[in-house]
Amino acid sequence: MAKQQHVFQTEVKEILDLMIHSLYSQREIFMRELVSNASDALDKLRYEALTNTDWKLNGAEIRINTDKDQKTISISDTGIGMSFDEVQENIGTIAHSGTKDFLKNAKNIKESPELIGQFGVGFYSSFMVADKVTLHTQKAGTSEGVLWESTGDGNYSIDSVPRAQGHGTTITLHLKETNTTEDKPQDFTDEWTIKSLIKKYSDFIEFPVKMKTVNEVPELDDEGKPIEGKTKKEESDDTLNSQKALWLKSPSEITPEEHKEFYSHVAHDWAEPLKTIHFKAEGMQEFTSLLYIPSNVPFNYFHRGSEFGPELYVKRVFIMKDCQDLIAPYLRFVKGVVDSSDLSLNVSREILQQDHQAQGIKKALVNKILKELKTTLEKDRESYVKFWNNFGSTFKEGIATDSENKEKIEKISMFYSTNSDELTTLQEYVDRMKEGQKDIYMLTGDDLDHLKTSPYLEKLKEKGYEVLLLTDHVDEWVAESLTKFADKNIVSITKENLDLDTEEDKKKSEEELKENETKYSALKDIIKKALDSDVQDVKLSNRLTNTPVCLVQASNAPSARMEKLMESMGQKPPKSKRILEINPKHPVIEKMLASEKETQSDWAEILYNQALLNEGSPLKNPHEFSEKISKLMMN
Ligand code: ADP
């Protein structure tokens, strides 16, 4: 094929523009990205060679060459290479997820370039350090070489050019004049710089990363003794990485620095991992697993449909990343690798879904992670709270989705409560329960501060009963499954028939209630009539002290917040009318009793709207409400 000129897709131009012009101080990550691509290419070839006898993984290596005079650095691999079409597809279009996310976050990146490293920016990162990049590749099993070239200014050329070395890929970077950022001059043709970058980012890569280095060695005399003052240059071929798959080392041999490096590779987070879980399973399932609980929330963690799951290796052969079938979705924050001895090298995602070995691995991983989390809670609460603040809101989903481990998850779940500003566990709550307190109480809502002053708490506060305050989106849904702990019922305090009284209290309040029933019977009817389309019933209540009314839901009906959530997800739940409870002891209700019938109907509307505000729901008709308030003020 003849040489062709092409224009980059608009999106690619945008990415390149950001790469070239952002003031990113860690340009060196281009090395990590290119070496990782080279290693992927070797992995792919090895994998293909298992089934395709024409393809051979001979002399698998990644090689770095530099030319100080030309100011170039090249990274070559003897991997699978790319065909003409594949180069077109892969380099110049944005088909892969890393760059798509990159674009979505373009604005943030402009403001804080340190985010660049979080994205799988891959090949394009070359343009951070180079003003011209050539890629020369040949697909294994073919004899046609492809030369791709670009200066990153919007165009690239692509041509058929034979590749003398055979299959594999060479990427040559023509380095920019200055690759210095303020205080950090970096010469990427410098041997020492390259060595330290490979160590830093690619030490665990299984294939050797090699470089010819020239060392100054003493010249020797005939007897083999060094001649004083005389040296000669000697070339040696060095392997720069240790190549040892970290997870195969014994845990005691791995240094914190090695963990940090590996964690940054699998999690794209440059901090220390919060927790490391390294274990070898023997017996039914044989596998080694090195997992991390991240110390930061990944930028795309809450995107629906984000990929998750460990990388899968079979006997050190990389198979695939994001193995969702090896971990429960509520543990999707976990990063790392699983290296199995039992799975077949041909395992695909589809097979993985049904494979009982894979299910066994998943079960073992989930158990292990839950156990580690439990130990962390017991031994290192500070870390646990950090974990909880980052991932608790999704971890809790397990209460509703993993019936097998529900109890374990409940035991290590944390909640805010009226007890203090600190998170508490259910067991700690139970240990603090007051004498006479029958149930565990909870209240859900959007905002912790609002919940703390909620009128629903009035009576419970009076009794000194603690209430769990749940503010995460998933709580409404999780709460449906969170029904019992340590033989105590977990009760929402916004449901009707909240039973807080002791038998003795009950007798007393029943008498009082009877008296009030007669006294308020007519008023109740008027309120009910006025609010006929909004509430299903009006009841006298003793749950309130300082508030005249509140809305509660029938014991089997979804909460107001649950309805709102369902609506926000595009569903149309049947509107369940709620019950208006009125506090007969409140002066407003007493005053209402003594008012004109017409005033009573107006007030019923106002009180209903107040109840809506108190539970965090929008007003039925804000304009009507404010008119009624104005009218009231004029009286
Ligand atoms: P990513 O690696 O995140 O997919 P890149 O932009 O780095 O994104 O690369 C895009 C694609 O180009 C890769 O998925 C791969 O198919 C191909 N590619 C890149 N480098 C090489 C290489 N050295 N050998 C073979 N294919 C490569």
Side-chain angles (χ1 to χ4, degrees), residues 425-434:
T425 64
L426 288 170
Q427 188 57 53
E428 289 160 354
Y429 176 105
V430 169
D431 293 344
R432 279 192 298 265
M433 274 171 76
K434 278 260 149 60

Side-chain angles (χ1 to χ4, degrees), residues 37-38 41 44 77 80-82 90-91 96 120-124 169 171:
N37 277 354
K44 280 182 200 157
D77 62 71
I80 195 160
M82 283 178 274
N90 295 332
I91 313 287
H96 53 295
V121 284
F123 174 75
Y124 301 124
T169 304
I171 289 162

Side-chain angles (χ1 to χ4, degrees), residues 1 11 78 130 139 176 257 265 281 285 306 318 332 355 368 399 401 460 464 474 481 489 538 544 552 620:
M1 240 169 274
E11 289 89 345
T78 50
K139 176 98 177 188
K176 288 182 192 173
E257 290 73 36
H265 169 75
Q285 302 292 334
S306 290
F318 173 78
R332 58 185 173 273
D355 187 272
K368 182 72 184 178
I399 295 174
T401 57
L460 290 114
V474 292
S481 306
N489 289 321
V538 178
L544 300 167
V552 300
K620 205 176 86 181

